[in-house]
Amino acid sequence: PAKSGRPASLAMACWRQCRSRLAVQSRRLGAPRESRYFLAQLQDVTPSGIHLGLGARGFQQAAGDDGGRVTGPRHYPSLAQTLRNTRGRELLRIVDTAVPNLKHIKEFSVVLKALALDGQWRRALRLLREMQEMGVQPNLITYNQVLSAMSKDKQVEKALGMLEEMRQNAIEPDVLSYSNCIGACKPSEWERSLQIMESMPAAGLAPDGPCFEHAAAACEEAGEWQRSLALFMEIAQRELESTSVGHNYALSAARQGKQWRHGFEIMAEMAKRTFEPDFRLRQDLEAQSRGLDRAPPPEPSARSTPSPDNVWQRKQQLRELREQDKRRQEERKLEQDRLEREPAAKPYEEEGFMVYGGQDAFANKNAHTMPAMDIAACRRVCQERGYGAFTVWSNQAYFRSEGAAEIKEGMKRAGGTTMYVNLEPESQRKARLKARQEEERRQEQDKQRQERDARRKQREEERVLESPSPVQHSASQAARGEGGPPQRAAEASWEARPRGGPPASGGG
């Protein structure tokens, strides 16, 4: 063939034949269509034939010293893509099929990553043992992927045992290893997560943002919302990186503790970072700012099937619920646009208040809330405390501490609300309160004076009742034989007797 001068054409013919055979074989083995691409390199032309170097897609040629030897997969793109989009039993089937053909540690890393995403920690641990039996020594990346799979299934004891195994194999765990161990703690093991995080400085590591977020998530799910918020605030104090997941866990803790003001601050920070808060959490916090416990439940889903057991199907169901929430949000936005386009009702004055229908201002900034069954009582509270206005929505009154002028400038259309703006000036309110205080002080003084007069009169009556009358006094003296005129005369003569000595005796 070399003498014919047609090595290129023969090489192409051989290449087509080999490619067709390889494609048939790969199709029989169940390889995906996008992986049925192969590379050919003309290595040598001899009188006996043409030698081609064949390589499957995903393999790279080593440069320089290896002389064109095929070294292994660069990232195995087709297998990675297939595993990334597969979950559950199908993933385990593909892994069992692919494991006998795995040789390079990068190939094992691709499979371990897919198992970690699905939380298949038992299969990932078995694959790690198969790697060691085949002579492929795991590294820090493969260990962290197994720890990630254990974290998904909340197997903290297994994860801590894996840390000990890493130290025995002279592989020092990094921050990601400890983060996966913290994330493996169940809500009932939130104290364990804090202990693991506190043990990191002893290993020469400093906790990062995900460590604090995993610990805050465990505390929030266990009902320890104060600790969860404290851990989230420590992320900002240490200037660590935080994710939208951590912010949403902080929002959930704020909702659990009814700290809606703190929740609004977290949502403002999320808006600066272009994070999207969870729709239900935002609704519940807005409802708490209006005096409610939770927002009304969403409309029931049209699907009547129960929640599936497969994790991937549950995630798909959650996506559908998020789509429903997104559609409701769009509907509310359209309703708000419609209200803004429609002309507002004409305001009218009523008992010192200007009434605006279908409008609100400074929402979620409530200075005070109370039931709106009695509008007159709401007006009195607004005037006595000096609030600028109050809004009635769903039989609840929400008071605004801003002035009437600011409220009028910040009014927006809001369906189902009625705003009562206080028209009383501040000087008139102060004069009215001062006159009321003087009136109350005068009434208090009159009351005290009346009480003193009543006590004085009562003491005089008691004194009269205790002292005897003149008739009773004479009768008592007569009964004792005292007080008569003869007795008084005898007493007077006795007092007038001479005091010099004994009286002189008569003659005799």
Side-chain angles (χ1 to χ4, degrees):
K3 296 179 180 179
S4 62
R6 296 183 298 169
S9 60
L10 289 174
M12 290 300 298
C14 293
W15 161 238
R16 293 191 187 98
Q17 185 69 18
C18 293
R19 185 179 62 181
S20 62
R21 291 184 180 182
L22 287 172
V24 171
Q25 187 67 16
S26 63
R27 186 166 57 250
R28 289 177 180 175
L29 293 175
R33 182 176 298 276
E34 61 270 12
S35 65
R36 299 172 194 165
Y37 296 96
F38 309 95
L39 303 175
Q41 182 180 8
L42 183 61
Q43 294 181 348
D44 192 12
V45 180
T46 62
S48 60
I50 298 175
H51 299 274
L52 296 175
L54 300 178
R57 178 186 175 186
F59 285 74
Q60 63 177 355
Q61 301 291 337
D65 299 337
D66 293 340
R69 182 173 59 86
V70 177
T71 59
R74 181 173 53 220
H75 54 277
Y76 225 144
S78 59
L79 179 61
Q81 183 179 3
T82 303
L83 295 176
R84 190 183 305 115
N85 299 327
T86 309
R87 296 291 182 270
R89 295 181 179 178
E90 184 66 18
L91 172 63
L92 296 178
R93 187 187 66 81
I94 296 176
V95 169
D96 293 339
T97 305
V99 163
N101 300 321
L102 300 181
K103 301 297 181 183
H104 200 273
I105 191 171
K106 293 184 179 180
E107 300 174 345
F108 287 99
S109 179
V110 169
V111 178
L112 285 172
K113 183 178 180 181
L115 293 172
L117 290 175
D118 198 32
Q120 301 285 350
W121 66 273
R122 292 182 178 86
R123 188 65 184 92
L125 186 60
R126 191 164 75 249
L127 181 58
L128 188 69
R129 303 294 179 241
E130 292 174 359
M131 287 176 56
Q132 296 172 345
E133 293 174 358
M134 294 172 61
V136 180
Q137 293 300 323
N139 55 14
L140 180 62
I141 297 176
T142 54
Y143 273 115
N144 283 338
Q145 288 168 346
V146 177
L147 287 172
S148 177
M150 294 177 178
S151 175
K152 289 289 180 63
D153 202 35
K154 303 298 181 184
Q155 299 292 328
V156 62
E157 296 295 339
K158 300 289 184 181
L160 293 176
M162 186 62 62
L163 282 184
E164 294 297 329
E165 181 179 339
M166 292 172 65
R167 295 190 183 97
Q168 293 174 4
N169 294 335
I171 299 177
E172 288 297 328
D174 60 353
V175 178
L176 181 59
S177 306
Y178 280 93
S179 177
N180 289 327
C181 291
I182 296 172
C185 295
K186 299 177 182 178
S188 59
E189 300 169 339
W190 62 271
E191 295 179 349
R192 190 77 172 274
S193 66
L194 297 179
Q195 293 174 0
I196 296 173
M197 190 167 59
E198 291 173 357
S199 66
M200 292 181 65
L205 300 173
D208 59 352
C211 293
F212 282 98
E213 289 181 354
H214 290 321
C219 293
E220 187 275 331
E221 293 178 357
E224 297 288 335
W225 60 269
Q226 298 95 335
R227 296 179 184 271
S228 180
L229 287 177
L231 291 170
F232 178 76
M233 292 173 64
E234 195 168 351
I235 296 176
Q237 292 174 1
R238 299 194 179 194
E239 297 181 354
L240 302 176
E241 291 294 331
S242 57
T243 62
S244 61
V245 177
H247 282 78
N248 279 302
Y249 269 111
L251 287 179
S252 181
R255 178 186 66 177
Q256 187 176 358
K258 296 184 179 180
Q259 303 292 323
W260 53 269
R261 289 188 177 87
H262 191 54
F264 288 147
E265 295 176 0
I266 296 174
M267 284 193 289
E269 183 67 23
M270 293 179 70
K272 293 179 182 178
R273 300 191 179 189
T274 65
F275 292 158
E276 184 66 23
D278 186 80
F279 181 67
R280 293 297 306 172
L281 292 175
R282 182 172 58 184
Q283 272 196 333
D284 290 341
L285 289 172
E286 290 177 356
Q288 288 180 1
S289 68
R290 295 179 178 271
L292 303 177
D293 187 23
R294 289 290 181 92
E299 299 175 2
S301 175
R303 297 178 55 178
S304 59
T305 57
S307 178
D309 296 332
N310 188 278
V311 177
W312 185 251
Q313 293 180 2
R314 285 203 299 270
K315 291 181 179 180
Q316 184 67 23
Q317 195 175 46
L318 289 175
R319 292 192 190 97
E320 293 179 2
L321 292 176
R322 292 193 190 99
E323 290 295 330
Q324 292 180 5
D325 292 339
K326 187 176 180 181
R327 285 195 296 269
R328 294 192 193 94
Q329 189 175 4
E330 292 176 354
E331 291 174 358
R332 290 189 181 91
K333 186 177 180 181
L334 292 176
E335 181 67 18
Q336 182 69 23
D337 295 340
R338 184 186 64 81
L339 289 174
E340 291 178 356
R341 287 194 302 268
E342 291 182 357
K346 186 176 180 180
Y348 60 92
E349 185 175 354
E350 184 181 58
E351 297 183 7
F353 285 82
M354 187 63 71
V355 183
Y356 296 87
Q359 297 199 25
D360 195 3
F362 296 98
N364 305 325
K365 292 185 179 180
N366 304 319
H368 178 64
T369 59
M370 63 178 293
M373 300 301 179
D374 188 1
I375 300 297
C378 297
R379 291 195 186 98
R380 287 194 300 272
V381 171
C382 185
Q383 290 180 348
E384 290 175 359
R385 301 191 180 184
Y387 296 138
F390 67 92
T391 301
V392 177
W393 179 73
S394 297
N395 295 327
Q396 285 285 330
Y398 306 94
F399 294 85
R400 308 286 185 254
S401 59
E402 290 76 11
E406 298 180 12
I407 290 174
K408 289 180 181 179
E409 291 178 0
M411 275 189 180
K412 295 181 181 180
R413 296 299 304 277
T417 62
T418 304
M419 171 160 276
Y420 294 80
V421 179
N422 189 5
L423 299 179
E424 185 180 25
E426 186 66 19
S427 58
Q428 183 179 352
R429 172 180 167 272
K430 290 182 179 179
R432 179 174 55 80
L433 293 179
K434 185 177 180 180
R436 177 181 295 179
Q437 291 176 359
E438 292 178 356
E439 181 67 22
E440 291 177 355
R441 190 182 303 110
R442 186 167 55 254
Q443 292 178 0
E444 184 68 22
Q445 292 175 358
D446 294 343
K447 184 178 179 181
Q448 293 177 359
R449 186 166 52 253
Q450 292 175 3
E451 290 178 356
R452 287 197 300 269
D453 295 342
R455 287 196 296 270
R456 187 184 303 111
K457 186 177 180 180
Q458 184 178 2
R459 285 196 298 270
E460 292 176 356
E461 292 177 355
E462 290 176 355
R463 192 180 302 112
V464 170
L465 292 175
E466 290 176 359
S467 62
S469 61
V471 177
Q472 294 176 350
H473 185 66
S474 302
S476 61
Q477 288 182 348
R480 292 194 301 268
E482 299 177 355
Q487 184 179 0
R488 285 198 295 270
E491 291 177 358
S493 63
W494 175 258
E495 292 294 335
R497 74 183 184 279
R499 302 294 180 92
S505 58

